[in-house]
Amino acid sequence: MWLVLFSSLYRLCRFLLSRLVFFYQLAFKKSPDFEPVITIGHLGLRAINRLIPSVFTYPIPQGIATTLYDLTFPSPLILAAFEGDQRIVSIWSQFGLGGTTFKTVLPHPHLGNARPRIQSIVYQGSPCLINAMGLPSKGLAAFLQSLHCYTPHPEKPIGLSIGGHCVEEYLHVFSSIYEFVSHHPVWKNQPVFFEYNISCPNTPHHESIGKNPALITDLLTKTRSLTSNAIISVKLSPDHSDDTLLELADRIGQHPLTALTLGNTHYHTCSSVGLPDHTLSIGGGGLSGPPLLSRTLDMIDLLAPFGLPIIATGGIHTGPQALLARQKGATLIGLATAVVQDPYVIARINRYLASIK
């Protein structure tokens, strides 16, 4: 009962905040921009967490743990790689995540696309987000510095997402982070996995590696020359054709300790989702939310026969949806938009999964 009440209260507060921001922007003739709603919401979460440290803590039920090679996740629910504020990642983890994935790290600082670059919309009858963030990143050096200040949870594996414009950039970021976590006195005891993000749909050089499957072989071969024991998941796009997905999965599966992250946001122009072109600075972006579910499940069906662990990411918002993805072959469930809209969804899905015997 309390979970439902708090969830409803959270959604109401989020709705009222979005309306206040919208009317402020309208009154001062500013462009519609959902980013301030997210920023203010994060500030509120952090303030509440400081005042009442245990208010967002929900224990993970017994019996729903899963494994990714030698990593044990107390819940199959993990945070997908989209949030750069590690304090917010830590708060969301308290709701019952089995693990988290930090936002994609680039080798150099990158501002991302100009604002407005994220909007909240209703598409196909469901609340969604569409973003043209463009992978804003403080860069590798700042990320490594932030890891000194972050206190990991040894019982919850952490994913470290890596981006770049070429094989050399991916390898540089990977080797630097791998060296850090292997020797840092705290992080060397923290279970981690790595994710190569080759599927961001709203950067100038998006999918430069995903569009050339041979580069995946090159990247993974060179990665294995650096280490034989790091778990590497490759993030594939729902925008890839089935033939491309099959070729990529075949190449990825030829390397040990690899997994598939299926998928990412789905590129749409502003006009295709009923928005004026200027609503996003680049005229379109990656759609996320319930409409992605069908493609995510199709990707699982397509690639599960390869026998690789699968992290299903895209459109999963309910317990039955998470269960269906698991039954089709997903090892882990990556949550993103669902958590932004209502982090209490984590506890609700956990309880549903625990109730299914």
Side-chain angles (χ1 to χ4, degrees):
M1 182 183 70
W2 287 109
L3 179 60
V4 174
L5 176 63
F6 289 148
S7 175
S8 299
L9 183 61
Y10 183 93
R11 288 174 176 267
L12 175 61
C13 290
R14 185 174 181 272
F15 172 77
L16 293 175
L17 174 60
S18 67
R19 293 302 89 192
L20 285 172
V21 170
F22 171 77
F23 287 121
Y24 170 83
Q25 292 169 345
L26 184 65
F28 288 90
K29 298 182 179 179
K30 297 178 178 292
S31 298
D33 187 350
F34 195 70
E35 203 162 336
V37 177
I38 296 175
T39 300
I40 296 170
H42 285 180
L43 291 173
L45 281 176
R46 285 161 47 191
I48 294 171
N49 191 61
R50 283 195 301 269
L51 290 172
I52 316 173
S54 62
V55 70
F56 299 132
T57 301
Y58 287 83
I60 299 175
Q62 297 293 317
I64 62 172
T66 188
T67 58
L68 176 68
Y69 292 109
D70 63 344
L71 302 182
T72 298
F73 296 76
S75 163
L77 306 182
I78 67 171
L79 190 69
F82 73 98
E83 178 53 58
D85 187 335
Q86 294 175 358
R87 294 164 296 185
I88 294 299
V89 170
S90 182
I91 292 172
W92 282 338
S93 180
Q94 297 173 36
F95 283 89
L97 291 171
T100 54
T101 311
F102 291 155
K103 184 177 178 64
T104 300
V105 183
L106 298 178
H108 308 292
H110 178 62
L111 294 176
N113 295 319
R115 294 172 64 172
R117 53 189 183 177
I118 186 166
Q119 302 291 354
S120 177
I121 64 171
V122 175
Y123 182 69
Q124 295 183 355
S126 299
C128 301
L129 296 176
I130 184 167
N131 89 84
M133 299 297 289
L135 286 182
S137 173
K138 294 182 179 179
L140 175 60
F143 177 74
L144 292 177
Q145 185 61 39
S146 73
L147 293 185
H148 285 286
C149 306
Y150 185 85
T151 303
H153 303 280
E155 74 282 3
K156 294 184 176 184
I158 290 178
L160 302 163
S161 181
I162 295 168
H165 292 152
C166 61
V167 169
E168 289 70 26
E169 287 191 356
Y170 279 89
L171 288 171
H172 171 61
V173 177
F174 170 82
S175 61
S176 298
I177 297 177
Y178 182 77
E179 180 73 13
F180 177 93
V181 299
S182 297
H183 296 95
H184 189 275
V186 173
W187 280 90
K188 68 181 181 181
N189 298 315
Q190 172 65 34
V192 301
F193 63 97
F194 295 84
E195 178 184 270
Y196 281 147
N197 182 1
I198 65 168
S199 62
C200 180
N202 49 64
T203 58
H205 305 284
H206 73 276
E207 300 181 5
S208 56
I209 288 185
K211 289 180 177 179
N212 186 347
L215 292 178
I216 291 295
T217 296
D218 187 31
L219 175 58
L220 292 175
T221 298
K222 290 178 177 177
T223 300
R224 284 295 168 235
S225 71
L226 299 174
T227 172
S228 60
N229 59 8
I231 296 172
I232 308 289
S233 186
V234 181
K235 192 171 190 177
L236 305 182
S237 171
D239 294 328
H240 285 143
S241 69
D242 284 358
D243 286 343
T244 299
L245 289 171
L246 289 167
E247 182 176 359
L248 287 168
D250 181 61
R251 289 176 178 271
I252 293 165
Q254 294 175 22
H255 301 268
L257 297 179
T258 51
L260 304 173
T261 300
L262 310 175
N264 205 331
T265 55
H266 192 342
Y267 184 80
H268 283 66
T269 62
C270 288
S271 59
S272 70
V273 295
L275 295 174
D277 288 342
H278 66 271
T279 310
L280 293 173
S281 62
I282 62 172
L287 181 76
S288 60
L292 272 65
L293 177 64
S294 177
R295 179 57 173 160
T296 299
L297 297 177
D298 287 345
M299 293 170 73
I300 297 173
D301 285 336
L302 180 70
L303 301 183
F306 284 90
L308 294 170
I310 290 174
I311 303 172
T313 302
I316 297 170
H317 282 62
T318 69
Q321 292 169 352
L323 178 63
L324 180 58
R326 293 267 290 156
Q327 290 172 336
K328 285 179 173 290
T331 298
L332 296 167
I333 306 296
L335 302 178
T337 300
V339 174
V340 174
Q341 294 173 336
D342 179 9
Y344 290 93
V345 72
I346 300 167
R348 292 202 303 273
I349 295 177
N350 276 341
R351 291 184 181 184
Y352 178 85
L353 295 176
S355 71
I356 304 299
K357 304 299 182 183

